[in-house]
């Protein structure tokens, strides 16, 4: 039962994210699901202001929450497409900025690269050649995050809205999955007898990333 709960915890957010992305993409381009898109934008605004209320002292937290909710409500009523673009764009940017910081900061001197740390959590101590490889893979993720941010900004500025929405809503998760699968498939090219991971290992990594940057004892070389 516990294993099933962990699988649901791992898979459900992915399906929810896919469903929301499809709804917002369809609403932007065709006008379908428009009421649901408005609701999702307002829901995101509510979720965004909860930390502000908690972390900021009164009355600043309540003032910030009021401004954000009023702005989101105004946009949803009078410019709902702009509200959806703002909602999707900010979410995409914040996610990849956080990932960029997470991966890039682990490459600083005295730190252990993120992919190296994950491989040690799963497999234990590994040969130096594997550590060098996982450091390079960490750099690949840094470049990928930068490409996502630049791609979104460029398409939103220079291309039709449909192109941008397809990039951030439809191609987002498939591009992440393609990078994962591509790394696994090409790993034997760079390493002889490379380590392999199972679905359960991926779930452990997901829980680590959800709960904190590094497990105890793995932050430094």
């Amino acid at each position: 039962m516990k294993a099933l709960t962990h699988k649901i915890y791992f898979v459900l957010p992915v399906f929810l994210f896919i469903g929301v992305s499809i709804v917002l993409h369809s609403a932007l381009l065709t006008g379908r699901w428009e009421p649901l898109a408005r609701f999702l934008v307002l829901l995101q605004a509510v979720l965004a202001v909860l930390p502000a209320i908690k972390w900021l002292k009164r009355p600043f937290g309540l003032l910030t929450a009021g401004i954000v909710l009023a702005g989101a409500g105004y946009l949803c009523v009078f410019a709902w497409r702009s509200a959806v673009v703002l909602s999707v764009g900010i979410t995409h940017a914040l996610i990849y900025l956080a990932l960029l910081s997470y991966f890039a900061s682990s490459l600083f001197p005295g730190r252990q690269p993120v992919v190296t740390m994950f491989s040690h959590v799963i497999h234990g101590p590994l040969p130096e050649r594997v550590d060098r490889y996982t450091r390079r893979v960490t750099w690949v993720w840094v470049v990928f995050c930068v490409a996502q941010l630049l791609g979104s900004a460029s398409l939103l500025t220079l291309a039709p809205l449909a192109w941008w929405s397809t990039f951030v809503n439809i191609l987002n998760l498939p591009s992440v999955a393609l990078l994962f699968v591509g790394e696994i498939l090409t790993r034997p090219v760079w390493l002889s007898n490379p380590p392999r991971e199972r679905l359960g290992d991926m779930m452990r990594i997901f829980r680590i990333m959800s709960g904190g940057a590094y497990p105890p004892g793995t932050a430094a070389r």
Side-chain angles (χ1 to χ4, degrees):
M1 185 66 183
K2 186 177 180 180
L4 177 61
T5 302
H6 285 161
K7 289 181 180 179
I8 293 174
Y9 175 73
F10 178 73
V11 173
L12 185 59
V14 176
F15 280 101
L16 287 175
F17 187 84
I18 292 173
V20 170
S21 298
I22 292 174
V23 167
L24 295 178
H25 178 72
S26 178
L28 274 176
L29 300 189
T30 68
R32 296 178 59 190
W33 305 103
E34 178 184 332
L36 182 55
R38 294 175 191 251
F39 169 76
L40 290 173
V41 171
L42 289 174
L43 178 61
Q44 185 188 60
V46 171
L47 294 176
V49 300
L50 289 178
I53 296 175
K54 180 179 179 180
W55 295 336
L56 297 178
K57 294 181 179 180
R58 294 186 178 184
F60 300 106
L62 294 176
L63 179 62
T64 300
I67 292 173
V68 172
L69 292 177
Y74 176 85
L75 288 174
C76 282
V77 172
F78 297 103
W80 72 269
R81 287 182 184 271
S82 297
V84 173
V85 170
L86 189 63
S87 171
V88 173
I90 289 177
T91 300
H92 182 271
L94 288 178
I95 288 173
Y96 280 101
L97 282 172
L99 288 174
L100 177 60
S101 173
Y102 185 65
F103 283 99
S105 63
S106 74
L107 293 165
F108 292 165
R111 301 293 299 274
Q112 188 178 55
V114 166
V115 180
T116 306
M117 180 268 292
F118 286 155
S119 66
H120 284 197
V121 169
I122 294 171
H123 303 288
L126 293 168
E128 181 62 29
R129 61 184 179 84
V130 179
D131 286 351
R132 288 195 298 268
Y133 171 78
T134 53
R135 183 179 183 85
R136 291 196 294 268
V137 175
T138 304
W139 271 110
V140 170
W141 279 100
V142 169
V143 172
F144 175 77
C145 292
V146 171
Q148 283 283 340
L149 292 167
L150 292 179
S152 175
S154 300
L155 290 173
L156 185 59
T157 305
L158 303 173
L161 184 62
W163 293 15
W164 173 80
S165 181
T166 300
F167 180 76
V168 297
N169 283 316
I170 305 302
L171 299 181
N172 185 15
L173 283 183
S175 65
V176 174
L178 183 62
L179 183 55
F180 265 114
V181 173
E183 187 276 318
I184 292 172
L185 293 178
T186 59
R187 193 180 299 173
V189 175
W190 310 104
L191 291 174
S192 59
N193 192 26
R196 294 295 186 185
E197 295 79 36
R198 298 169 298 179
L199 177 60
D201 297 325
M202 296 298 100
M203 292 167 60
R204 288 175 61 195
I205 297 305
F206 179 77
R207 289 197 294 271
I208 290 171
M209 294 187 70
S210 301
Y214 287 89
T218 61
R221 283 187 176 278

